[in-house]
Amino acid sequence: MKTMRLLVLSLVLALCAAIVAGCGSSSGSGGSDDPAALIPAGAPVYVEATVRPEGKVRSDVEGALKKILRTDDPGARIGKLIDDADKGEDVTFKDVEPWLGDRVGVAVTALHSGQDADYVAVISSTDDDKAKATLEKMKDDVVERSYKGVDYRFDRNDKTAAAVVEHRVVIGTEGGLKAVVDAKGGDTLAKSNALSAVRSKVAQDRIGLLYLDVQGLLRTVSQSASSDPQVGAMVQSFSSALPKTIGAALQAQPDALRIDAVSIGTPKSASTNGSGADIVATLPGDAWLGLGVANLGQTLDRIVQAVAGGGGITGVGVNAVLGQFQKQTGLDLRKDVLSWMGDAGVFVSGTSTADLGGALVIKTTDPAKTRRTMAVLERFVRQSSGTKVATLHGSAIDEGFTVKDTSGPAVQVALAGDRFVVAVGSKDVLAKAISPRQQLGSSPAFTAAAGKLGNGLRPSFYLDFTQVTKLIEAYAGSDQDFQKAKPYLDTFGAIVAGAKDEGSGVTRSRFVVTLK
């Protein structure tokens, strides 16, 4: 689709022009070319990008691209890719670059039940005549139309519309373009307190921004599902536990890519009073994947309550399942199972078939209840045909059993002190899960990556991509496609993410990809 091709070229390839030209604004938080000034205030999803950053932001982007693209001249490398992609096309980046301004924004303006959503892209223009000339180069089945005094071109093949409105090129569905015209000079997203709050709270030295009106999106989904009241009831149940808005800023640094995110208006009842970082730090030091969830039982219990309390067929069905579970096991899922589950962690270690393994580790607040749950699990497993179950013994193991079927690795289930563990894979994985010789929190690779989060954030997610590459190499070997990709895979180091409650309904999250 030619109009969508123009959009993709503008968003992805304009960064090449940013590196070469090095002019424009650096944060994209406002100004006369603000794309949000044409976006309807009710748009539930909005993304913007600064395509011509300057100063430190520009040099940081260039430094990151040098590592990612494995070249000292990323502009030339991207330029060649552009030239190769443009061959034989009516519209090329050479048509776009002369009028391309500093800012680009993309929004979903409306959702429709059973139909495609309306969307629109707003691209700032420095030369409206050249921008119009570019739109006129699109040759498909295009007709001229007008709406409220704004002339636009409509492609009857791909059902997209394009126009120049107030020094901006607007491309999207016909409904999206009309929504822009309706909002022009009136109630726009740029004037909304919600977007202003997101822009002010996320990192300012950014090259991109995501805005999500969570409650507005849920209302739209609920209204779109009016023909199915069960879906609407479930959406309403979940909405009370979710924030009002979410925002995220994309930053580039010479040694890392970072997403700085905030959720605003998070209900106090939705907070788990933790991030999972504590348990991640206690996982085995040789783990290349670690994930932590604070108060797992509390989190799952809230989900069960939200769905069961939503009413309708869904709520009745969930309550029926809870009743059947208690009848068959003698356990109340919420009181006897979820109630003892504290922080939970998952890890994977090993870079070959021989030493690959992983485990789920849950801290228990009530070992007696955990034992009862394990007894029920063991009873049901023993009833499965083709499955061998054996009692598990060990100096640190209070209770446990091993499950082995005709194929696949053995599964070990154990209670050791305040740790409930389900381990799969290598022989020593259970021992590492119970009492690791070195904890992940003291691993040099982990601590180096954790330091990139900043603002007192601690990792609740960790992925050592270097080890992942080794694992892929162990399986791929001399595969030509892998060997071509390996230099680029070797660019990425550790990936970490963490979050913390900043008070007043604001939660800060960060996701960092380190570069080598």
Side-chain angles (χ1 to χ4, degrees):
M1 298 185 295
K2 300 300 174 61
T3 50
M4 288 306 298
R5 177 177 175 77
L6 173 61
L7 171 60
V8 172
L9 283 170
S10 300
L11 289 173
V12 179
L13 304 179
L15 194 52
C16 177
I19 295 171
V20 174
C23 58
S25 60
S26 61
S27 67
S29 59
S32 59
D33 63 343
D34 187 357
L38 287 183
I39 302 296
V45 183
Y46 172 68
V47 179
E48 68 181 21
T50 301
V51 297
R52 296 185 190 274
E54 65 179 5
K56 186 177 184 300
V57 176
R58 174 177 175 251
S59 62
D60 284 348
V61 170
E62 186 171 7
L65 285 177
K66 284 180 179 180
K67 291 186 176 181
I68 294 172
L69 298 177
R70 316 301 285 181
T71 177
D72 289 331
D73 192 351
R77 173 69 63 85
I78 297 175
K80 184 178 185 307
L81 294 174
I82 293 172
D83 291 339
D84 291 343
D86 281 345
K87 292 177 180 178
E89 298 294 340
D90 294 334
V91 176
T92 69
F93 184 65
K94 291 180 180 178
D95 298 311
V96 176
E97 200 278 334
W99 57 262
L100 181 66
D102 296 340
R103 315 272 297 278
V104 176
V106 181
V108 174
T109 58
L111 299 174
H112 308 287
S113 179
Q115 301 178 31
D116 292 337
D118 277 322
Y119 65 88
V120 69
V122 178
I123 308 166
S124 60
S125 165
T126 60
D127 190 321
D128 290 354
D129 290 336
K130 290 181 179 178
K132 290 177 181 178
T134 299
L135 296 181
E136 290 171 358
K137 289 189 68 175
M138 295 182 288
K139 302 298 184 181
D140 289 347
D141 187 8
V142 176
V143 294
E144 299 284 348
R145 292 182 179 178
S146 182
Y147 178 72
K148 293 186 177 181
V150 174
D151 297 327
Y152 66 94
R153 295 168 63 82
F154 180 72
D155 190 324
R156 291 185 292 197
N157 285 337
D158 61 25
K159 308 300 181 186
T160 55
V164 176
V165 182
E166 294 189 349
H167 308 300
R168 300 172 183 89
V169 172
V170 179
I171 304 172
T173 62
E174 191 168 26
L177 186 143
K178 289 181 177 180
V180 163
V181 175
D182 290 336
K184 183 165 61 78
D187 192 14
T188 65
L189 194 59
K191 298 178 181 178
S192 74
N193 293 330
L195 179 61
S196 296
V198 164
R199 282 175 164 174
S200 66
K201 290 183 182 300
V202 299
Q204 299 303 298
D205 53 341
R206 59 182 182 258
I207 55 175
L209 176 78
L210 165 69
Y211 163 84
L212 179 63
D213 178 359
V214 179
Q215 297 299 326
L217 183 61
L218 290 175
R219 283 194 301 271
T220 302
V221 171
S222 181
Q223 293 168 0
S224 299
S226 58
S227 59
D228 188 346
Q230 305 306 320
V231 175
M234 185 178 294
V235 170
Q236 289 297 324
S237 298
F238 279 112
S239 65
S240 61
L242 297 175
K244 292 181 180 179
T245 54
I246 293 175
L250 174 63
Q251 298 173 282
Q253 299 170 339
D255 60 352
L257 299 176
R258 185 166 75 174
I259 296 175
D260 180 56
V262 293
S263 59
I264 302 173
T266 304
K268 289 184 178 180
S269 60
S271 175
T272 59
N273 299 316
S275 68
D278 288 339
I279 196 166
V280 166
T282 67
L283 296 175
D286 64 344
W288 49 259
L289 171 65
L291 171 65
V293 178
N295 300 314
L296 176 65
Q298 180 182 336
T299 302
L300 295 176
D301 188 50
R302 282 176 178 164
I303 295 173
V304 171
Q305 287 187 69
V307 178
I313 295 176
T314 303
V316 172
V318 171
N319 284 305
V321 170
L322 293 176
Q324 188 68 20
F325 178 86
Q326 185 167 4
K327 182 178 179 180
Q328 292 183 352
T329 65
L331 300 175
D332 182 304
L333 179 64
R334 294 178 58 199
K335 294 180 180 179
D336 298 326
V337 181
L338 300 183
S339 63
W340 59 260
M341 294 182 178
D343 292 355
V346 174
F347 75 87
V348 181
S349 61
T351 56
S352 68
T353 305
D355 64 355
L356 186 63
L360 165 68
V361 180
I362 303 176
K363 296 198 72 173
T364 174
T365 59
D366 191 329
K369 286 186 177 181
T370 307
R371 288 174 184 268
R372 290 197 293 272
T373 301
M374 291 175 63
V376 171
L377 284 173
E378 184 175 357
R379 186 173 76 244
F380 273 87
V381 171
R382 287 184 182 277
Q383 294 172 357
S384 302
S385 60
T387 301
K388 295 181 179 180
V389 181
T391 302
L392 187 61
H393 298 286
S395 59
I397 298 173
D398 299 319
E399 191 160 335
F401 57 92
T402 300
V403 181
K404 185 74 169 67
D405 59 15
T406 55
S407 63
V411 178
Q412 298 173 309
V413 181
L415 175 64
D418 65 348
R419 287 197 164 199
F420 169 74
V421 180
V422 180
V424 181
S426 61
K427 294 180 179 180
D428 65 341
V429 69
L430 177 62
K432 290 195 299 185
I434 294 173
S435 182
R437 287 188 293 271
Q438 180 190 32
Q439 294 187 340
L440 192 57
S442 60
S443 163
F446 178 86
T447 55
K452 300 291 184 182
L453 286 175
N455 277 30
L457 289 162
R458 298 170 59 214
S460 54
F461 172 82
Y462 169 75
L463 177 66
D464 186 344
F465 201 79
T466 301
Q467 299 302 315
V468 174
T469 302
K470 290 181 180 178
L471 181 62
I472 297 173
E473 188 171 19
Y475 284 92
S478 59
D479 179 81
Q480 291 184 354
D481 291 334
F482 171 75
Q483 292 302 323
K484 289 179 180 178
K486 189 175 183 301
Y488 299 97
L489 296 177
D490 287 338
T491 300
F492 301 101
I495 302 172
V496 289
K500 71 174 182 177
D501 187 347
E502 295 189 338
S504 302
V506 177
T507 300
R508 170 88 48 188
S509 304
R510 280 196 180 148
F511 182 90
V512 177
V513 180
T514 62
L515 304 174
K516 296 186 294 181

